[in-house]
Amino acid sequence: MTILNILHYPDPRLRKKALPVSQVDETVKRLVEDMFETMYQAPGIGLAATQADIQKRIIVIDISEHKNEPLCFINPEIIRRDGVEEMEEGCLSVPGIYERVERAEQVIVRALDREGESFDMQVSGLLSACIQHEMDHLEGKLFVDYLSELKRQRIRKKMDKLRQKMM
């Protein structure tokens, strides 16, 4: 397996929209495995392919305590949203930053699994927020886009300082 490079905000490649996966073949299955490996190593609870500069509509998630409940969503779409919930979010593309974001409390998502089989899943709480967060990445949107311009500027400056330290 390969550890993928995660892009960091404000990298413009994070703003690209992902394209649908036409066929779940061995290449896609290998990518899903690499995405899980990358997410677990980071460590994180979700990763969208676009965060690794791969413009495919694939997200992986594992919110379990022991990292043993991997979920894969290929070509995900939310077919229903209910309620409103505010939750603190972080992002592997915006390391060390956590802010409260308002999202639907409950969603029904339709997607393909890693074998290419279609499924619907009704979720709430953290998993709902995580799915919505990762699906935003597929549209070129980040959780910082929900924040005020002032907060985004502060986060951009922090990320620039972090990038300079890493050079």
Side-chain angles (χ1 to χ4, degrees):
M1 284 187 255
T2 304
I3 300 297
L4 306 169
N5 181 44
I6 297 173
L7 302 175
H8 291 118
Y9 176 76
D11 192 310
R13 293 174 290 177
L14 288 167
R15 299 302 184 176
K16 291 181 180 176
K17 286 190 176 188
L19 301 172
V21 173
S22 58
Q23 180 182 359
V24 180
D25 57 16
E26 289 308 311
T27 303
V28 169
K29 291 176 183 180
R30 200 168 320 113
L31 173 59
V32 168
E33 292 305 316
D34 291 346
M35 288 175 64
F36 275 117
E37 189 76 18
T38 302
M39 178 188 73
Y40 289 134
Q41 190 215 24
I45 61 170
L47 184 69
T50 52
Q51 289 177 272
D53 199 23
I54 298 166
Q55 307 316 313
K56 294 185 185 291
R57 296 189 68 78
I58 304 171
I59 61 176
V60 297
I61 295 173
D62 189 341
I63 62 168
S64 68
E65 185 177 339
H66 299 292
K67 303 298 178 207
N68 60 353
E69 297 176 25
L71 298 170
C72 172
F73 301 84
I74 299 171
N75 297 335
E77 58 179 311
I78 293 176
I79 56 175
R80 184 171 173 181
R81 299 173 192 265
D82 290 307
V84 176
E85 185 172 55
E86 188 176 86
M87 198 173 284
E88 188 171 78
E89 293 187 18
C91 181
L92 294 175
S93 291
V94 193
I97 305 295
Y98 300 90
E99 293 287 343
R100 296 192 72 72
V101 176
E102 193 175 278
R103 297 194 184 270
E105 178 184 11
Q106 188 174 77
V107 298
I108 298 176
V109 63
R110 178 171 291 151
L112 301 176
D113 65 17
R114 63 173 98 188
E115 298 303 320
E117 298 298 319
S118 180
F119 69 94
D120 288 4
M121 182 183 286
Q122 183 173 340
V123 298
S124 60
L126 178 59
L127 184 54
S128 174
C130 193
I131 287 170
Q132 292 172 78
H133 174 110
E134 299 307 332
M135 285 182 65
D136 275 353
H137 279 296
L138 301 180
E139 298 300 322
K141 187 172 185 177
L142 286 88
F143 87 103
V144 297
D145 296 340
Y146 292 92
L147 308 176
S148 70
E149 180 58 34
L150 179 61
K151 282 188 177 182
R152 279 196 304 275
Q153 287 175 2
R154 287 181 181 160
I155 291 168
R156 207 173 290 120
K157 286 179 184 176
K158 284 182 184 179
M159 298 308 298
D160 286 342
K161 285 181 185 178
L162 180 66
R163 196 170 20 266
Q164 288 173 357
K165 282 183 184 178
M166 294 170 68
M167 292 178 142

